Structure formats: structure tokens, C-alpha cells
Amino acid sequence: AQSVTQLGSHVSVSEGALVLLRCNYSSSVPPYLFWYVQYPNQGLQLLLKYTTGATLVKGINGFEAEFKKSETSFHLTKPSAHMSDAAEYFCAVGSSNTGKLIFGQGTTLQVKP
Amino acid sequence: DGGITQSPKYLFRKEGQNVTLSCEQNLNHDAMYWYRQDPGQGLRLIYYSQIVNDFQKGDIAEGYSVSREKKESFPLTVTSAQKNPTAFYLCASSLHRDLNTEAFFGQGTRLTVV
């Protein structure tokens, strides 16, 4: 079975500070991993994805994530937070084996001026 | 424009009534998904479909039903058997079940039981 755990339901950073959102996954087959962002009362938008190949993945808006198989992690980072980054972020895992896309509980990012 | 359209955006239902949420996509995607979002619980998978005329239960299928008679349409019915239907419902699609491509999401339907 697949599962995703996001550590910390709320993260607060100052504008210009490093953003780190944590995601650990469980999968019995090679996973596909995704980070999505959601603004209030809207759908989800893809930030970045890992399927195969390079383990450091760069996404939109300056975000990146590194797939670490040994740690079963896929943490999301951004060197310098911007006010517009305030939103809810979801990590997700999928596999071709099941066809299912499973999401974590989400992390709300607050950016303080 | 290509995308996923969910309708209506807001929906009110009386207790004991069935209600159907619409999801249409013109992306020519094979796979479609329905999720329920509640505060603090993330997105939970209700049903998913990898091909026309086929669908599978997700993690919280009880009280819900779906159909996939056309590739572009995947309606979700919330039945009276769903004890706590008030939630934000999101529909998504992806090119195929392999999931090495991203899922695209609709704007959601907020269902409230009155």
C-alpha cells in the first residue's frame, strides 16, 4: 500500500527565509512523487514531480525537491520565501502498479513580512 | 481552452437527498479521479477510473457512486447513505494510469448539507 506523511500541518517563515516542507512516503514499488499547491477555494496546481532520472527536481516559482530513496523522503524547499508563497501544499505519491494517486494531509505555509 | 470543469461551484443539499457533481475534461485523458477534502485531512480518494466503462473504489467510497460512460465525463453522486457529505470535492484527470504525467484538477465543488 502507498501512503504519504507530511510533517507539520502549519509552517511559518519570514519573508526571505528558507522554506522547507517535509514529505515522507511509503510505497512497495518505485514511486512517482508530486508536490501541489492550493490557494483558497481553488483546485490544485502542480509545482514539480519526480518520476525517474535526476533526483533533484526543479519546479515552478523557485521550488525544488530532492528524492531520497534511502530516507523515503521528498522534501520541498525554496531558498527565499515570498509573500505570494502563502498557500497549502500537498505531497502525493502514485504508481503505475495501482493507478492510484494518494495525497498527504497538507501543510499550510504562512509567510510573515 | 483545455481543462477540467466542475459544476456547480457551490451546491446545497437537504438531508436524505442524492446529488450529482459534474466533472468534464477535454484533455483526452484516460484516467479520472474524485477526491474529498476536509480541513486537516488532505485529499482522500473516493473513486478513480483508468478507462471508459471501468472504475475502482478509493479509500472512502462508501456513500458515493460514479459512472464513466464517456471518456470526458466522470460524474460523482453523493447518496443519502453518505453520513457526512459536507466537504470540498475535487475532480482530477491524468493522461493515463501510469501516473508519470501530472494530474490536472478542476476548481472544486463545495457541497453543504442543510
Side-chain angles (χ1 to χ4, degrees):
Chain A
Q2 296 172 301
S3 65
V4 177
T5 301
Q6 292 183 237
L7 299 176
S9 59
H10 288 85
V11 170
S12 181
V13 300
S14 297
E15 191 173 19
L18 172 71
V19 175
L20 171 61
L21 304 182
R22 299 178 187 274
C23 172
N24 287 88
Y25 70 91
S26 172
S27 179
S28 58
V29 297
Y32 299 138
L33 296 162
F34 306 84
W35 274 100
Y36 287 85
V37 61
Q38 184 183 35
Y39 297 98
N41 294 311
Q42 293 188 26
L44 277 67
Q45 178 186 5
L46 182 74
L47 281 176
L48 49 80
K49 65 181 180 183
Y50 169 80
T51 54
T52 59
T55 57
L56 181 62
V57 180
K58 294 187 184 299
I60 62 171
N61 301 337
F63 285 94
E64 62 181 38
E66 186 171 10
F67 170 60
K68 292 188 177 180
K69 185 178 179 181
S70 61
E71 299 177 7
T72 61
S73 70
F74 191 57
H75 302 331
L76 182 70
T77 61
K78 181 174 180 178
S80 176
H82 192 271
M83 296 298 291
S84 61
D85 294 327
E88 189 159 20
Y89 292 80
F90 291 93
C91 182
V93 62
S95 83
S96 59
N97 198 41
T98 65
K100 294 172 71 172
L101 183 61
I102 303 298
F103 285 81
Q105 303 92 324
T107 297
T108 300
L109 175 65
Q110 180 187 25
V111 181
K112 297 178 292 186
Chain B
D1 277 24
I4 299 181
T5 301
Q6 289 187 243
S7 62
K9 190 172 178 65
Y10 298 96
L11 188 57
F12 296 88
R13 186 195 97 175
K14 292 183 179 179
E15 283 195 34
Q17 285 183 336
N18 292 358
V19 64
T20 298
L21 282 59
S22 171
C23 179
E24 303 276 334
Q25 54 99 356
N26 60 5
L27 300 167
N28 201 32
H29 285 175
D30 286 329
M32 297 186 74
Y33 312 83
W34 273 106
Y35 293 90
R36 171 180 171 138
Q37 185 175 18
D38 297 281
Q41 298 194 53
L43 277 69
R44 292 182 290 168
L45 183 62
I46 305 173
Y47 270 97
Y48 62 110
S49 168
Q50 294 159 353
I51 198 168
V52 175
N53 292 322
D54 187 43
F55 50 83
Q56 289 79 39
K57 292 182 178 180
D59 300 319
I60 57 163
E62 184 175 351
Y64 300 98
S65 66
V66 294
S67 64
R68 187 84 187 277
E69 297 175 359
K70 298 185 296 182
K71 187 175 186 177
E72 58 270 23
S73 179
F74 192 42
L76 173 74
T77 296
V78 184
T79 75
S80 56
Q82 170 49 237
K83 298 306 178 188
N84 185 22
T86 294
F88 191 52
Y89 290 87
L90 286 162
C91 179
S93 72
S94 63
L95 185 58
H96 46 65
R97 65 163 283 164
D98 283 348
L99 284 173
N100 58 359
T101 58
E102 68 182 278
F104 290 81
F105 282 80
Q107 293 297 295
T109 293
R110 186 166 296 282
L111 174 63
T112 303
V113 175
V114 297

